Amino acid sequence: MKVYSLVILTSLVLIGCVFVDQYPVEWDSIKLSTDKTCPDVSGKFRDRGERENSSFEPSLSYLLLQLHNQKTADTVEIKFVEPTQLLFRVFSEQQLQAESLLSSSKGEFQCSDGFVIIKRGEFINREGVFAGERWTFSLAPSKNGLVIKEKDSAVGMMFIVPVVGTSTTWSRYPRAN
């Protein structure tokens, strides 16, 4: 009986999930910068991207600006205003819908390992869930667009059960015409 109790207790304590998606070999290679400078991720990109072996179309405006009305967005413009400032602009039928200016000096983005890296996080305390979630978006240019490596990590409690999880996915966004 003690063994069964120990097994049940251990399984409740160690509930977790890990998903790591490797960079798709069929996609164009990404162009990482080789020094501490940021890669050139400038351009206009379609808001809806793609993931390998999935019909899900991630939204670039949602990832970068957390816009919840992203269904109306069709393009996202990214450009460095200065080496330390990165501007995101969201358009719908060529009309500006939203924009955000990030500063590396304020810690809102950084350049590391050849990527432009943006980190976000939030605490959740609702509907029986108490958790912290952290996202890291690593942006890099490719031949035909923008590639984003998205790492999501969470730790918390769902009702009284501890939960831990992490996932890594890749998305690509073609250049807009």
Side-chain angles (χ1 to χ4, degrees), residues 75-130:
T75 58
V76 176
E77 179 183 26
I78 302 173
K79 69 178 178 180
F80 282 97
V81 179
E82 294 178 15
T84 61
Q85 293 185 327
L86 188 58
L87 177 65
F88 300 116
R89 300 173 73 200
V90 177
F91 293 89
S92 177
E93 298 178 3
Q94 300 182 353
Q95 297 295 314
L96 181 64
Q97 300 296 309
E99 65 182 357
S100 179
L101 183 65
L102 301 184
S103 170
S104 63
S105 60
K106 293 180 182 176
E108 295 169 324
F109 78 92
Q110 65 184 30
C111 297
S112 179
D113 299 325
F115 291 94
V116 173
I117 299 173
I118 301 168
K119 295 181 180 183
R120 294 209 172 94
E122 75 173 337
F123 253 148
I124 301 166
N125 186 7
R126 64 180 181 270
E127 300 163 358
V129 176
F130 179 74

Side-chain angles (χ1 to χ4, degrees), residues 7-115:
V7 168
I8 291 170
L9 180 62
T10 302
S11 66
L12 288 175
V13 171
L14 297 178
I15 292 176
C17 175
V18 174
F19 174 79
V20 178
D21 192 14
Q22 300 298 319
Y23 187 79
V25 294
E26 299 84 22
W27 290 5
D28 294 330
S29 61
I30 52 179
K31 301 173 187 174
L32 301 177
S33 61
T34 55
D35 53 11
K36 297 266 183 188
T37 62
C38 290
D40 184 12
V41 293
S42 300
K44 274 196 171 186
F45 306 97
R46 286 191 15 225
D47 182 59
R48 292 296 175 169
E50 63 179 323
R51 291 190 177 150
E52 186 182 48
N53 300 323
S54 175
S55 61
F56 176 67
E57 295 180 326
S59 167
L60 186 56
S61 61
Y62 180 75
L63 287 180
L64 299 177
L65 283 82
Q66 297 180 317
L67 295 179
H68 294 284
N69 62 345
Q70 73 272 12
K71 290 182 181 179
T72 61
D74 50 37
T75 58
V76 176
E77 179 183 26
I78 302 173
K79 69 178 178 180
F80 282 97
V81 179
E82 294 178 15
T84 61
Q85 293 185 327
L86 188 58
L87 177 65
F88 300 116
R89 300 173 73 200
V90 177
F91 293 89
S92 177
E93 298 178 3
Q94 300 182 353
Q95 297 295 314
L96 181 64
Q97 300 296 309
E99 65 182 357
S100 179
L101 183 65
L102 301 184
S103 170
S104 63
S105 60
K106 293 180 182 176
E108 295 169 324
F109 78 92
Q110 65 184 30
C111 297
S112 179
D113 299 325
F115 291 94

